[in-house]
Amino acid sequence: MKKKLGVLALVAASALALTSCASNGSPGSSEASDANIRVWLVGTDTPKEAREYLVSTFEKDNPGSKLTIEEQSWTGLVDKLNTNLSGSDSPDVVEVGNTQAAAFTSAGAFLDLTKDFNELGGKDLLPGFVEAGSYDGKFYAAPLYSGARLVFYKKDALAAAGLQVPTTLADYVTNGKKLATDNPGKSGIWWPGQDWYNALPFIWENGGEVATFKDGKWSSAFSTEKSLEGLKQVQDAMLNASRAPKDGKEDNPQVGFCDGTSLQLSAPSWVKWSILAKADAETPGCPDQEENLGVYALPGKDGGAASVMAGGSNIAVSAKSKHPELAVKALKIILSDEFQTIYAKGGLVPAKLSLAKELGTDEVAKATAEAAAKARLTPPSPKWADVEAAGLLQDFFVKIAQGGDVDSLAKELDKKIDGILNG
């Protein structure tokens, strides 16, 4: 079997030859009045209104040129970016998950945007995402949007079980188990096996870490005592509160909420709009459930909001863009107040701090602000994207959901992650 190379190895060779010449307006860049700027957006989180604004504004400001949005899937994204960013037909502007950004910035796959930093938003940009998009003192990938994970629940189900909104992480699991017991066949917490994002708060709240860096070396930390405490809570919830497929993905969480099989679920804040989408929408929701839709920030071990994973994306210009000046112009539209306000109105945390007020003052907005204040990112290793691409976390949590031994599985996972991060 041919050995699978990491993101850095595959991207770096082609990118290094370009970074010396492919800067804004630099020799070797190619601008044309009839250029077609290709923008890769991932998934369906970017609203139709925002997409239309980007296309119309860009084409109005750049007569003769076109902008084409090519929607990508999160599944297999790292491998696809790896191939296309190093090829001869690279897209011009690309969205990348915040946990994946370091792999590409460190490899030289993105255009250096340091001199454009202030025009793109400067100190108004989400600082954690600026850090994720920077490498070796240079700025390569701007924030696109953020979002914190919230718990959505059916008010009538909680009331029928005699339960209150939980105030601790342990209460959250206990409530989920009671809901599942009282409602056979239904999930008190919808938790498909591959969903590792919702497991991280249990590790962090119990004092554990995903991985640590010391003396020039990364150490995966899933098998440490404190991490194991959190992982055993995760297994308890997966086995006794969830009826989701043990090998399932976290896609389309609104489906179970709308058909009544999911009584609680933890998902990004923007899932509210998936739940409330019209029944005749491309991905139907259940707007009739609006009055029954409750929401709260996942509680921490000792109360308050838990440290949840900060969802969201960065966005960058490919180092191999044939039209870097036009690509940067498109990026500036994406970071404009007008475009970012559309995100905020749709429940996504905008890339600019000053636009947070546009999220509104409803229950979801308040819970989002509470959760986002303590949100964390995955380890800032340039090779973390390789961990995700290898599917190690998905496989690990599927085995936990199937009742596997947590201690031995965690030790096995740590060895595999250490091999990638330090390879």
Side-chain angles (χ1 to χ4, degrees), residues 96-103 196 309-310 312 314 377-379 381 384-385 388:
V96 61
N98 59 51
T99 65
Q100 303 161 348
W196 59 274
M309 180 172 165
N314 284 68
L377 297 173
T378 50
S381 165
W384 182 258
E388 292 192 19

Side-chain angles (χ1 to χ4, degrees), residues 167-180:
T167 57
T168 68
L169 197 58
D171 288 344
Y172 170 65
V173 176
T174 299
N175 278 10
K177 290 161 64 175
K178 180 167 174 41
L179 286 170

